[in-house]
Amino acid sequence: MAKFRIERLNEEIRKELSSLVTTLKDPRIPPLLTITAVKTTNDLSHAKVYVSAMNADMKEVVTGLRAASGFLRRELASRLTVRKVPELHFENDTSYEHGLKIYAMLDDIKRQQREREETSQEDEN
């Protein structure tokens, strides 16, 4: 299957799932859940769905979504125009936390550089 078609399908699945998860009544799934990305295999049999939620226990969120995956897949089948709806595999998207760690490390490096510059200026005087 063409790469651009899979990317388009990934985006369509992401949009549909974003609207579908708001209808779920599971208390483990927060109302402000974000579907950050969908990556479908070339044969369309499986799709990794990356999710993120602020101030939520992501293990519980993923567990709740996995419990609802059959319902979500069935609803996707009625909304998408594909022969085969992929099996959904939900995973915590850690890219935001990873980005925060990188930002903190860069901040630390800048602070250390300023301290070295200040120390070298004091030594010169």
Side-chain angles (χ1 to χ4, degrees):
M1 181 174 279
K3 184 178 178 180
F4 65 91
R5 181 157 187 254
I6 289 177
E7 289 174 3
R8 197 171 56 223
L9 179 62
N10 287 340
E11 184 59 23
E12 195 172 339
I13 291 171
R14 190 193 65 76
K15 285 179 184 177
E16 292 297 336
L17 282 176
S18 292
S19 68
L20 283 170
V21 294
T22 60
T23 65
L24 297 175
K25 303 294 185 216
D26 192 324
R28 297 174 289 191
I29 302 170
L32 296 177
L33 179 73
T34 304
I35 309 290
T36 56
V38 175
K39 294 188 179 177
T40 307
T41 58
N42 287 338
D43 64 354
L44 301 179
S45 61
H46 299 276
K48 281 187 181 179
V49 181
Y50 295 92
V51 297
S52 178
M54 299 300 261
N55 303 324
D57 180 6
M58 289 308 294
K59 283 186 177 181
E60 286 295 313
V61 172
V62 169
T63 302
L65 289 169
R66 286 179 181 157
S69 66
F71 167 77
L72 293 171
R73 190 174 181 205
R74 200 168 39 253
E75 288 298 311
L76 280 176
S78 67
R79 295 178 180 210
L80 300 177
T81 56
V82 291
R83 285 187 193 148
K84 183 178 180 181
V85 175
E87 189 175 322
L88 304 173
H89 304 279
F90 293 95
E91 293 189 20
N92 180 15
D93 185 2
T94 58
S95 61
Y96 181 74
E97 290 87 13
H98 186 68
L100 286 177
K101 286 179 185 177
I102 291 172
Y103 184 74
M105 290 189 316
L106 291 172
D107 244 11
D108 193 39
I109 291 170
K110 285 181 184 178
R111 183 184 50 76
Q112 289 174 358
Q113 285 177 338
R114 278 194 304 257
E115 288 174 358
R116 274 191 239 122
E117 289 172 359
E118 290 172 0
T119 305
S120 67
Q121 287 176 356
E122 289 174 1
D123 290 344
E124 290 175 3
N125 294 332

